[in-house]
Amino acid sequence: MTIVHNCMLRGLNAIYNQARNVGTKGTAKDKLDFANFAYAWAKMLEEHHETEEKTAFPDINRLAEVPGLMDGNVEEHKAFHDGFEKYMEYTDSVRKEKEEYDAEKLIAIIDSFASVLQVHLTNEIDTLMALKQYEDKCDWGSWFNKLVGEIIGDAMKNAEYRNDVFPLAVIFHDKSFEGGVWSAFPPFPWIVGLVMRWLFMNTRKDWWRFAGCDFNSQPKDLPFA
């Protein structure tokens, strides 16, 4: 889960650190592509939290036999909800060309929720690490791997997810981080990764160029930083 949260923060950093230069130096197409990139990040975060609230957290409560164990994390979701919703609405409006791209507006919206989101993502890892006290009730590592496999398997049946959301797990993950000890992420067979790169990731390659990693999850320079 730490790697997933790192991906989210790495994606938000890429958006924040390029927002102003996209506005001052980017073409109309750059701004539209960037808005789609920024919105895709939001969809990833939204789906992650929906999965937690509807599936993962209820499972944890049940397996640990502690009703409400994960309620604090759900409350933290609510703490940044309003700012995040404004972010989704604005980036969606820009990408649909209903509103002009305004870098200062986007930065202000991000500033309204980013610090709370960062605290939440850190706190949630601490909560999950604390599940060790219930390891007599569940093999949490096996449970997590099974859950992720099921979620990805179902989601990959959806073309929009394959093209617009899942690639972010590749371009927001730095395989060189900590000497490459996390290079096995995302957790799919190598052949799936190959198919993803050749068939799906190129579909939105103009959006993904704003990411801090390439299609092999290797670090690269941000084009508008």
Side-chain angles (χ1 to χ4, degrees), residues 108 132 147 157 210:
K132 289 181 180 179
L147 177 66
K157 297 173 185 176
F210 297 100

Side-chain angles (χ1 to χ4, degrees), residues 4-19 34 37-42 44-45 80 84 87 91 106-107 109-119 121 168 171-172 210-212 222:
V4 175
H5 286 191
N6 280 348
C7 285
M8 293 173 184
L9 292 173
R10 193 173 286 115
L12 185 59
N13 285 340
I15 295 163
Y16 194 87
N17 289 327
Q18 297 180 93
F34 186 70
F37 172 71
Y39 182 78
W41 172 84
M44 178 184 70
L45 181 63
F80 59 84
F84 179 66
Y87 173 95
T91 53
L106 177 59
I107 290 170
I109 293 173
I110 294 174
D111 283 339
S112 74
F113 72 88
S115 60
V116 181
L117 172 62
Q118 182 176 13
V119 169
L121 293 175
L168 301 181
I171 61 174
F172 288 159
F210 297 100
L222 297 174

Side-chain angles (χ1 to χ4, degrees), residues 14-137:
I15 295 163
Y16 194 87
N17 289 327
Q18 297 180 93
R20 189 168 280 116
N21 283 343
V22 168
T24 58
K25 301 177 181 179
T27 64
K29 183 180 185 309
D30 290 331
K31 294 172 184 176
L32 185 61
D33 288 342
F34 186 70
N36 277 296
F37 172 71
Y39 182 78
W41 172 84
K43 289 297 294 181
M44 178 184 70
L45 181 63
E46 180 184 53
E47 291 185 10
H48 175 74
H49 284 149
E50 285 182 354
T51 298
E52 287 181 333
E53 293 184 13
K54 294 178 181 179
T55 305
F57 291 169
D59 270 6
I60 291 173
N61 293 343
R62 175 179 56 82
L63 293 168
E65 299 177 7
V66 182
L69 178 62
M70 304 301 291
D71 286 359
N73 293 277
V74 176
E75 289 302 312
E76 288 189 358
H77 289 177
K78 296 176 182 177
F80 59 84
H81 176 271
D82 290 350
F84 179 66
E85 281 297 305
K86 289 179 181 177
Y87 173 95
M88 287 201 75
E89 291 170 3
Y90 178 65
T91 53
D92 191 35
S93 182
V94 174
R95 77 190 188 98
K96 291 178 178 176
E97 301 184 86
K98 295 180 180 179
E99 190 169 352
E100 292 291 325
Y101 176 75
D102 182 337
E104 299 307 319
K105 180 174 181 177
L106 177 59
I107 290 170
I109 293 173
I110 294 174
D111 283 339
S112 74
F113 72 88
S115 60
V116 181
L117 172 62
Q118 182 176 13
V119 169
H120 160 68
L121 293 175
T122 301
N123 288 346
E124 193 166 272
I125 295 302
D126 292 338
T127 302
L128 294 172
M129 291 296 292
L131 292 177
K132 289 181 180 179
Q133 63 187 298
Y134 306 107
E135 60 187 4
D136 61 315
K137 296 183 173 67

Side-chain angles (χ1 to χ4, degrees), residues 173-177 179-186 197 216-219:
H173 176 51
D174 178 0
K175 285 184 179 292
S176 70
F177 180 62
V181 296
W182 308 109
S183 61
F185 183 89
R197 292 181 183 92
N216 292 308
S217 298
Q218 295 299 317

Side-chain angles (χ1 to χ4, degrees), residues 141-205:
S142 296
W143 166 80
F144 180 74
N145 290 334
K146 181 174 181 292
L147 177 66
V148 171
E150 291 173 350
I151 292 171
I152 292 178
D154 289 341
M156 288 294 284
K157 297 173 185 176
N158 182 291
E160 183 178 1
Y161 180 88
R162 292 195 302 267
N163 291 317
D164 299 355
V165 179
F166 192 72
L168 301 181
V170 175
I171 61 174
F172 288 159
H173 176 51
D174 178 0
K175 285 184 179 292
S176 70
F177 180 62
E178 294 188 339
V181 296
W182 308 109
S183 61
F185 183 89
F188 51 63
W190 71 270
I191 189 65
V192 174
L194 184 64
V195 171
M196 281 290 297
R197 292 181 183 92
W198 286 102
L199 294 184
F200 304 129
M201 295 189 69
N202 281 315
T203 303
R204 309 295 191 199
K205 64 181 180 180

